[in-house]
Amino acid sequence: MFDTIGQIEGNIGFGYDIHQLVPTRKLIIGGVEIDYHLGALAHSDGDVLIHALIDAILTGIGSLDIGSHFPDTDKKYAGIDSTILLSEVMTICNDKGYKINNVSITVILEEPKLQDYIPVMKVKLANLLKIKTSDIGIAAKTNEKLGLVGNSKAIIAFVAVSLNKTTD
Ligand code: MG
């Protein structure tokens, strides 16, 4: 979005998250269950993508971060579906007068391949964010077998989001 003198209007937000991968947990990414023998260790469902997305939105509108809104010491968030948290964050976002323009997401995990899951994630996220699937980009990368992510001990996500004010 540009104003009349060509300056970019609106806000940007950026979020990051990491989770340890362990047996006996489900692997949920972008609201979609991934078929894999390891899952994300977390108080919630451990959805690394949605947690990074939530922090991108919250920081982009000048709000407190995910841990401040949804403390992992609060029993009511134990095992919670992170899409529920994202819905609550969208209410906060809309109440502050912002809407999402687009999101750019990078997920880093050594395996499994996410390509087949990405279209489903995009539909899910588009519904939650009230934008088109074409305004959501998801890159899935490996860590080239390097470090904790490269050894399937952890999963990381980065998210950038563009937001516009709908009201003054
Ligand atoms: Mg997290």
Side-chain angles (χ1 to χ4, degrees), residues 16-19 40-52 55 66 82:
Y16 158 86
D17 196 30
I18 182 168
H19 281 270
L41 185 62
H43 183 64
S44 67
D45 68 356
D47 192 325
V48 71
L49 187 161
I50 290 190
H51 294 178
D55 265 342
I66 187 171
S82 294

Side-chain angles (χ1 to χ4, degrees), residues 48-121:
V48 71
L49 187 161
I50 290 190
H51 294 178
L53 174 57
I54 284 173
D55 265 342
I57 296 167
L58 289 173
T59 58
I61 61 172
S63 185
L64 297 170
D65 65 11
I66 187 171
S68 304
H69 283 276
F70 312 109
D72 65 7
T73 49
D74 192 331
K75 283 199 175 75
K76 78 176 167 190
Y77 300 122
I80 195 167
D81 179 340
S82 294
T83 61
I84 294 169
L85 304 181
L86 180 57
S87 296
E88 290 187 27
V89 166
M90 284 310 296
T91 301
I92 295 168
C93 180
N94 296 147
D95 286 350
K96 270 201 146 195
Y98 287 94
K99 68 177 182 61
I100 309 280
N101 289 324
N102 76 299
V103 293
S104 175
I105 297 162
T106 297
V107 180
I108 312 174
L109 80 171
E110 206 59 27
E111 56 179 28
K113 294 283 178 219
L114 294 184
Q115 265 63 28
D116 291 346
Y117 297 100
I118 285 175
V120 189
M121 289 180 200

Side-chain angles (χ1 to χ4, degrees), residues 3-22:
D3 67 11
T4 49
I5 55 170
Q7 288 183 318
I8 294 174
E9 289 181 331
N11 291 16
I12 62 158
F14 178 77
Y16 158 86
D17 196 30
I18 182 168
H19 281 270
Q20 195 177 332
L21 290 173
V22 294

